[in-house]
Amino acid sequence: MRTLLAVAALWLTACRTTPPVAPASAAPPPTENVQHETPSGATFVVPAGWTLRTRGDLAIVIAPERDSAIAIVSLPAASADAAVAAAWRAYAPTARWPLRSAARMAPRDGWSERRHYDYDAATARRDVEAIAARGADGWTVVLLDLTQATSDRRASQVGLVTGKLHPRGFVPESFRGKRAHALDGARLAELEAFIERARAELEIPGIGVGVIQDGKIVLARGFGVRELGKPAPVDADTLFMIASNTKPLTTLMMARLVDRGLFTWDTPVQRVLPSFKLGDDATSRRVEMRHLMCACTGVPTETYETLLEFGRATPESYFDRLAHAKLTTKFGELFQYSNLLASSAGYIAGRAAHPELAFLPAFDRTMQDEVFDPLAMRATTLDDQRALAGNHAVGYAPDLDGHVVPALVAINKSVRVDRPSGGAWSTVHDMLRYVAVELGDGVLPDGTRFVSADALHRRRMAQVAINADSAYGIGLIVETVAGVSVLHHSGALLGYKSDFYVLPEHGVGAVLLTNSDAGLAMLSAFRRKLFELLFDARPEADGTLAARAEGAREERAAARKAITIPADPAAVSGLADHYASRELGALDVRRAGSATVFDFGEWATPVGSKRGSDGAWIFELVGPGLDGDDLIAGSAGGKRTLTLRDEQHEYVFVER
């Protein structure tokens, strides 16, 4: 679900719906990413296909769709607020958006201070943000003024602009050719102390961590408790939902089937499953097995269909949705993450191994036979009931008031059908067994060849760029960090956030599992701490952690201030009792004491209310772990409606 921050009281200057035109100068769109700099020497990247225009000291990078722009300007100012206000005046002096929140970001990449601003442009279906960064020569401000559709489709290119912004003279760290330190007792003690600080700072109930170096497990333990109010501690055998960290396990299974000759990574999918269809016939014929898990085909994210209508979902209904999908980009053009397509990879591969079985049991059996059993991942399971009956961690999330409460984990049942892309439960010990396969190039610690190096390594070949330093392979993120190759993949479901990291050239791997949505703020800081211990990197992990924690608190406070909970009686009085959407099914409105509850059938949540800029009532889903998803009240054809939007779709619930 998309993250929306609440509306704050302050209004700052911002752009309307289109970027400025008729600049002083313009360069034709580059065919490759090109680095440019501001007059003060700050450098940034113009992505391939985007147009650079300049107006005085202002650089404006315009998306190929011509409906979105990113503006960059360096200027002197007394503060981040003043710098951002001046930047908006230079870019779009007449239009205004309400500011949702302003939050501190961690200093990095040569910037001594950074701040992020998020504006309420949802009614116009735009993403409007600002980032202010202070260097030795003053402030550099990045203004993002994007339609939601372009922002979603071109998120990797937007991240390239913001992630590669550097002050004049910045020299990035590099550990290329450097040998990693041994993680001895002192270094491991420092890592454990950092984890405990992170757990306390972010109020994460339980964390599981494992590290392997040169074939030896040097750390495998838990921190905190499985469930608040109960003494049972997390240990290295505690099950967590690993969400999208299931994907590399699924493609590992596929690599084993490649070795068995059932298909290759380049085999057209229709040879394996003749009924497969993706959009039109021409596109369907082009899709190869690797494309199913490459995030590179142009299939857009369809979050709400999965999360609101999973009760009747089946693998067959997934294939039907793919058959009617409208691709938004060409193959390999842009990174777009699709769980729908990734799940089809597991189902098609499982069916190739067991054609006598239906899709679900075929996938489950193939994963058990090809991955879990031979790797002795004895606790890892795709069965929720089995996981919940044993040593497992309960999922938590901070609510809008900052209290740590059980997350709305009923939504996670959606991965029962989505399980090839996100449905596994696993432990530190079991995930380290998987990490050992990656580090061993397919050879197990006992010397047994588990999977060929060729089939394993094809998964690591870049299929589509995420940014200048990272790419998506086949169910894996392949990244270069300060000259060091890193394989990883994060996982996120309500109440559970995780990642694993493999440094193949250095024989190091790590696993991080958390049972809180706050764990998301820990993932990058944990990896940074590993780099500090392994390569004597600059000490930034604690600063990153503190900034992420502070920023999250500021954003929650702003969101809470902008919304009325329970929902305003005046807003609730205009609601119907029952609605239905063609795509998303039924929505029933219930009253539970003073609370108003939206019941989608598969799960239900309380709602708060606020007024949109056009005066319409907006109902925000406020269940623990939900991220500001809004339904806008309206009417059509004499009936009351509630409209739910993501970046590329609009769904209308109509009174029934």
Side-chain angles (χ1 to χ4, degrees):
M1 292 185 171
R2 69 187 188 280
T3 300
L4 298 179
L5 305 176
V7 180
L10 181 64
W11 287 66
L12 291 178
T13 306
C15 170
R16 288 187 187 274
T17 58
T18 56
V21 294
S25 63
T31 57
E32 298 180 349
N33 299 331
V34 177
Q35 182 171 291
H36 285 266
E37 64 179 55
T38 67
S40 70
T43 59
F44 63 94
V45 171
V46 177
W50 291 55
T51 302
L52 174 65
R53 296 179 172 179
T54 58
R55 192 172 64 208
D57 289 344
L58 188 70
I60 304 169
V61 187
I62 301 175
E65 291 84 352
R66 314 295 294 176
D67 60 6
S68 301
I70 302 173
I72 304 101
V73 62
S74 295
L75 40 76
S79 66
D81 289 354
V84 169
W88 281 124
R89 284 194 297 272
Y91 174 61
T94 61
R96 295 176 181 271
W97 298 112
L99 180 70
R100 281 180 172 145
S101 67
R104 183 167 76 93
M105 301 172 69
R108 74 172 194 191
D109 294 342
W111 302 110
S112 60
E113 182 180 347
R114 296 193 306 153
R115 198 159 183 80
H116 175 259
Y117 300 78
D118 188 60
Y119 301 88
D120 181 16
T123 302
R125 303 199 69 177
R126 299 188 75 80
D127 289 339
V128 181
E129 303 173 57
I131 298 170
R134 184 161 64 91
D137 300 311
W139 291 90
T140 295
V141 177
V142 180
L143 308 176
L144 298 105
D145 169 33
L146 312 159
T147 67
Q148 290 181 347
T150 297
S151 175
D152 180 64
R153 183 165 53 246
R154 299 191 177 274
S156 59
Q157 292 183 314
V158 173
L160 178 66
V161 179
T162 59
K164 284 297 180 180
L165 181 74
H166 296 140
R168 178 173 58 85
F170 173 71
V171 178
E173 283 182 309
S174 179
F175 309 115
R176 191 182 304 277
K178 186 172 183 177
R179 185 174 180 178
H181 291 296
L183 294 172
D184 56 18
R187 293 178 188 272
L188 289 173
E190 187 176 342
L191 179 61
E192 291 177 337
F194 171 79
I195 295 165
E196 283 288 18
R197 289 196 300 275
R199 194 176 74 81
E201 179 74 19
L202 298 172
E203 298 183 87
I204 300 173
I207 298 173
V209 176
V211 181
I212 186 171
Q213 186 172 38
D214 297 330
K216 179 182 177 182
I217 295 176
V218 296
L219 178 66
R221 58 162 293 192
F223 300 79
V225 296
R226 306 175 204 167
E227 184 174 1
L228 290 176
K230 296 185 179 181
V234 170
D235 58 33
D237 295 310
T238 298
L239 284 161
F240 294 76
M241 295 194 84
I242 63 169
S244 286
N245 283 313
T246 307
K247 289 181 175 70
L249 299 178
T250 295
T251 62
L252 184 64
M253 174 268 282
M254 294 172 70
R256 293 259 290 179
L257 300 188
V258 167
D259 283 345
R260 285 174 49 187
L262 295 185
F263 50 79
T264 72
W265 291 116
D266 304 319
T267 298
V269 173
Q270 289 188 336
R271 291 187 190 173
V272 185
L273 184 70
S275 62
F276 175 82
K277 186 175 181 181
L278 179 62
D280 58 44
D281 290 339
T283 301
S284 302
R285 289 191 295 270
R286 288 186 58 205
V287 182
E288 299 170 358
M289 292 298 290
R290 64 188 173 94
H291 291 137
L292 299 175
M293 194 76 87
C294 73
C296 67
T297 61
V299 176
T301 301
E302 290 187 345
T303 302
Y304 289 123
E305 286 93 337
T306 299
L307 297 182
L308 298 182
E309 271 295 273
F310 61 78
R312 295 192 297 271
T314 64
E316 289 78 7
S317 70
Y318 272 32
F319 286 121
D320 183 65
R321 284 168 58 188
L322 287 171
H324 295 90
K326 296 187 187 318
L327 276 61
T328 59
T329 59
K330 299 175 183 178
F331 278 33
E333 183 179 4
L334 292 175
F335 171 75
Q336 289 197 89
Y337 199 69
S338 171
N339 283 326
L340 184 66
L341 193 59
S343 286
S344 77
Y347 288 130
I348 292 170
R351 191 70 171 274
H354 290 284
E356 76 282 3
L357 297 178
F359 287 112
L360 277 170
F363 171 73
D364 290 356
R365 180 170 173 180
T366 307
M367 287 295 289
Q368 198 69 43
D369 292 347
E370 301 295 337
V371 179
F372 301 157
D373 285 347
L375 293 185
M377 297 175 71
R378 296 187 177 89
T380 302
T381 182
L382 298 161
D383 184 340
D384 282 354
Q385 296 307 310
R386 177 187 163 193
L388 294 173
N391 172 3
H392 74 282
V394 175
Y396 291 89
D399 64 15
L400 282 179
D401 293 313
H403 305 125
V404 179
V405 297
L408 188 57
V409 294
I411 294 178
N412 294 343
K413 293 178 181 178
S414 62
V415 296
R416 289 177 177 173
V417 176
D418 220 17
R419 57 180 173 265
S421 64
W425 293 74
S426 195
T427 69
V428 166
H429 274 149
D430 279 6
M431 286 299 292
L432 286 176
R433 292 183 176 98
Y434 158 66
V435 166
V437 172
E438 297 284 1
L439 288 172
D441 277 342
V443 176
L444 301 181
D446 65 4
T448 303
R449 169 64 68 181
F450 173 73
V451 63
S452 70
D454 180 66
L456 186 79
H457 288 175
R458 277 295 302 272
R459 298 160 56 252
R460 304 176 185 178
M461 291 180 62
Q463 304 297 311
V464 64
I466 298 175
N467 55 43
D469 298 320
S470 65
Y472 205 79
I474 305 175
L476 279 171
I477 295 173
V478 187
E479 193 164 357
T480 301
V481 181
V484 177
S485 296
V486 179
L487 309 175
H488 76 105
H489 203 298
S490 59
L493 284 168
L494 269 69
Y496 300 93
K497 302 294 182 282
S498 60
D499 213 329
F500 75 90
Y501 315 90
V502 175
L503 283 60
E505 299 160 357
H506 297 277
V508 175
V511 175
L512 174 66
L513 309 175
T514 76
N515 69 336
S516 171
D517 283 354
L520 186 65
M522 186 181 173
L523 302 186
S524 60
F526 175 80
R527 186 174 75 176
R528 181 65 192 182
K529 189 64 182 180
L530 278 178
F531 269 67
E532 291 173 12
L533 296 172
L534 290 169
F535 303 110
D536 296 328
R538 290 190 294 260
E540 296 178 356
D542 281 285
T544 297
L545 184 69
R548 293 293 300 271
E550 179 183 325
R553 288 191 292 268
E554 290 175 340
E555 290 171 355
R556 277 198 305 272
R560 183 64 185 90
K561 184 178 179 180
I563 190 169
T564 300
I565 305 175
D568 191 314
V572 174
S573 66
L575 289 171
D577 292 330
H578 306 286
Y579 296 84
S581 160
R582 178 174 58 84
E583 301 91 350
L584 303 182
L587 188 170
D588 294 329
V589 178
R590 296 190 281 106
R591 279 74 176 177
S594 61
T596 299
V597 174
F598 281 10
D599 189 335
F600 296 97
E602 285 79 3
W603 51 274
T605 174
V607 298
S609 64
K610 58 188 178 184
R611 285 280 194 183
S613 57
D614 59 356
W617 283 111
I618 299 174
F619 295 92
E620 186 167 314
L621 310 183
V622 296
L626 298 180
D627 293 326
D629 299 271
D630 296 335
L631 289 94
I632 304 167
S635 62
K639 293 188 175 183
R640 288 169 285 188
T641 62
L642 288 168
T643 300
L644 178 65
R645 296 167 174 163
D646 66 14
E647 287 79 359
Q648 303 201 45
H649 305 88
E650 181 172 279
Y651 308 95
V652 180
F653 290 88
V654 180
E655 178 182 0
R656 62 180 173 87

